[in-house]
Amino acid sequence: MNTFLQELSKKAAERWAAVLLGPGLLFVACVLVGRHQGFTRALDLAHLRAYVRSVSTDKAYQEPAGLVMAASVVLLGAAVAGLVASSAGGLVERLWLPAGPDWYVNLLVRWREWRWSRKEQAYRTVEAEARQELVRNRRRGIDTHSRSTELRRLLSRRNAYSERLPDQPTWMAQRMAGATARVEKRYRMDLAEIWPHIWSVADGQVRDDIQGVRDTLTGAGRTAAWGGGLLGVAAVTFWWPAAALGVVLLVTGHRRGRVAIDTLVPLIESAVDLYLREAARRMGVPCPYTFSPAVADRVTRVLRVQASDT
């Protein structure tokens, strides 16, 4: 038992160091360098070397007590920055998958509707022009240059944004809502209600796969949070390389988040397909062949009774 606890503590420490302390040290370094370099000497390596030399030759840092104190302050700052970034990562996830407030959600939905409508209008305009050109050239007996490539490109751009008129505030929220809608259409079940039961009966490998993607999404939010922190450093110190690095981390985090959601959605749907009947049986609802609407109604009643009892 002691060996198990020691290994568990070792893995937790390694994970903490890799996820929080390492980026935290980089953040502290950016703060120190940015404070010294500023805007005008952002890339002045000679100025930076002189600063490092002055610190290394300072007698206060050559004594063991001073060295230990400086290292402790740096490590403490890195740890605090890591904890703040971890908490801010959760906030970033809520921005990617917002549930409120209503004014914020509605504003984003209207913005996405407007952008989708522009892409849809561009596609419909080219489609109408191509059709008119085809009819006109047929009357004249002239070969028509195919615009199918352009139409496919415009359609792909529209569908990459959203396959239908958006009703969710972000692309990630739209993808998750799509999974909910497909489960509702296929099984007449509310995904939010049935998911805890699916999760409880799912195979260990399936749960590991879903949890791994979920951890990737958490890491993406944390990466974006580090990017936001570096933008804050740039705003305070005017050291523009921190802003450049912050933008890179923001974009990287957002793209990783989109990839994670794009992977998570089919995993969730496949888990529902595989384990919905088993979850129904565990709740005492016979499901011998297919998950019929009658079975869905009985499962829903069981879930509603459980919710009312709690």
Side-chain angles (χ1 to χ4, degrees):
M1 185 65 179
N2 290 334
T3 303
F4 171 75
L5 292 177
Q6 289 175 359
E7 288 297 321
L8 188 62
S9 300
K10 182 179 178 181
K11 291 181 179 179
E14 291 175 353
R15 179 177 176 83
W16 179 81
V19 172
L20 298 181
L21 188 58
L25 289 173
L26 176 62
F27 182 82
V28 171
C30 287
V31 171
L32 295 176
V33 173
R35 181 176 178 274
H36 181 260
Q37 296 292 96
F39 181 81
T40 57
R41 295 182 174 180
L43 299 179
D44 190 343
L45 296 181
H47 188 64
L48 180 60
R49 280 196 299 269
Y51 171 66
V52 174
R53 190 180 303 112
S54 66
V55 172
S56 62
T57 56
D58 192 330
K59 293 183 178 180
Y61 298 115
Q62 291 180 350
E63 297 178 358
L67 187 60
V68 170
M69 181 174 293
S72 300
V73 170
V74 170
L75 290 175
L76 179 61
V80 170
L83 292 175
V84 171
S86 182
S87 299
L91 176 61
V92 171
E93 287 187 54
R94 287 192 289 274
L95 292 176
W96 288 343
L97 301 167
D102 291 341
W103 66 267
Y104 173 71
V105 172
N106 293 335
L107 183 64
L108 290 179
V109 169
R110 286 196 295 270
W111 165 252
R112 297 191 73 241
E113 287 177 347
W114 176 76
R115 291 192 62 190
W116 187 88
S117 298
R118 290 191 61 185
K119 297 177 186 296
E120 170 72 3
Q121 183 62 37
Y123 171 74
R124 295 301 177 188
T125 299
V126 173
E127 184 182 41
E129 291 175 353
R131 189 181 298 111
Q132 293 173 2
E133 184 180 358
L134 178 62
V135 172
R136 185 169 55 250
N137 289 342
R138 279 182 177 177
R139 290 175 180 174
R140 298 176 180 177
I142 304 174
D143 292 335
T144 303
H145 175 68
S146 176
R147 303 182 68 177
S148 59
T149 302
E150 183 181 4
L151 286 171
R152 283 196 299 268
R153 178 178 59 83
L154 292 173
L155 183 62
S156 177
R157 287 182 58 188
R158 189 206 67 181
N159 290 343
Y161 190 74
S162 179
E163 294 183 358
R164 57 187 176 86
L165 184 65
D167 57 1
Q168 296 296 321
T170 64
W171 181 90
M172 298 185 195
Q174 190 75 46
R175 287 285 286 146
M176 295 300 293
T180 301
R182 285 187 290 272
V183 170
E184 171 70 26
K185 181 179 180 180
R186 194 178 305 151
Y187 299 111
R188 293 181 57 183
M189 291 298 306
D190 185 351
L191 180 59
E193 285 185 337
I194 196 62
W195 179 250
H197 303 274
I198 298 291
W199 183 257
S200 65
V201 301
D203 181 74
Q205 183 61 49
V206 173
R207 296 174 63 169
D208 289 343
D209 291 342
I210 294 175
Q211 187 61 51
V213 178
R214 184 64 183 84
D215 291 342
T216 300
L217 179 62
T218 301
R222 192 164 49 242
T223 299
W226 282 117
L230 288 175
L231 289 178
V233 171
V236 173
T237 64
F238 302 105
W239 191 54
W240 60 263
L245 181 57
V247 170
V248 170
L249 290 179
L250 278 174
V251 173
T252 301
H254 185 258
R255 289 186 176 180
R256 287 179 59 197
R258 286 174 65 107
V259 171
I261 289 293
D262 216 22
T263 306
L264 185 62
V265 165
L267 285 177
I268 290 175
E269 292 185 47
S270 64
V272 173
D273 294 337
L274 291 172
Y275 297 104
L276 183 58
R277 292 173 59 196
E278 178 63 23
R281 282 194 291 266
R282 294 285 185 91
M283 286 185 284
V285 179
C287 185
Y289 302 110
T290 61
F291 197 87
S292 63
V295 174
D297 292 339
R298 294 186 62 185
V299 171
T300 300
R301 285 197 295 270
V302 171
L303 293 175
R304 300 287 165 79
V305 169
Q306 291 177 351
S308 62
D309 290 342
T310 57

